[in-house]
Amino acid sequence: MKLLIGILLLSALVSCNRESSPEGRSQIRDEKIQLQLDSIKSQNKQILDSIEMLNQKIRKLQKKN
């Protein structure tokens, strides 16, 4: 009987992870969203840097003409 209770308690502890509760799932979702936002911010910075570089080249070309 003690063995059965021990096995049940052990399985209950093992099954209690972040995915098993609504709060844990929302934390996981929020972490994924934050990673995506960080990636988008990085891409946006790269695009803005590229645009600025192109603008500088255009200005130089305009000055030559």
Side-chain angles (χ1 to χ4, degrees), residues 23-39:
E23 184 179 332
R25 288 190 298 272
S26 69
Q27 288 175 348
I28 292 169
R29 183 199 66 229
D30 292 348
E31 290 169 3
K32 288 180 181 178
I33 290 171
Q34 187 61 50
L35 287 173
Q36 290 174 341
L37 282 173
D38 292 344
S39 175

Side-chain angles (χ1 to χ4, degrees), residues 5-25:
I5 292 173
I7 292 172
L8 288 174
L9 285 174
L10 182 60
S11 67
L13 288 174
V14 170
S15 67
C16 291
N17 57 22
R18 288 175 57 180
E19 292 89 7
S20 64
S21 71
E23 184 179 332
R25 288 190 298 272

Side-chain angles (χ1 to χ4, degrees), residues 3-4 6 8 12 17-18 20 28 30-31 34 40 50-51 53-56 58-59 65:
L3 179 62
L4 180 61
L8 288 174
N17 57 22
R18 288 175 57 180
S20 64
I28 292 169
D30 292 348
E31 290 169 3
Q34 187 61 50
I40 290 170
S50 295
I51 290 172
M53 195 168 49
L54 289 170
N55 279 334
Q56 289 174 3
I58 290 171
R59 282 188 211 109
N65 291 334

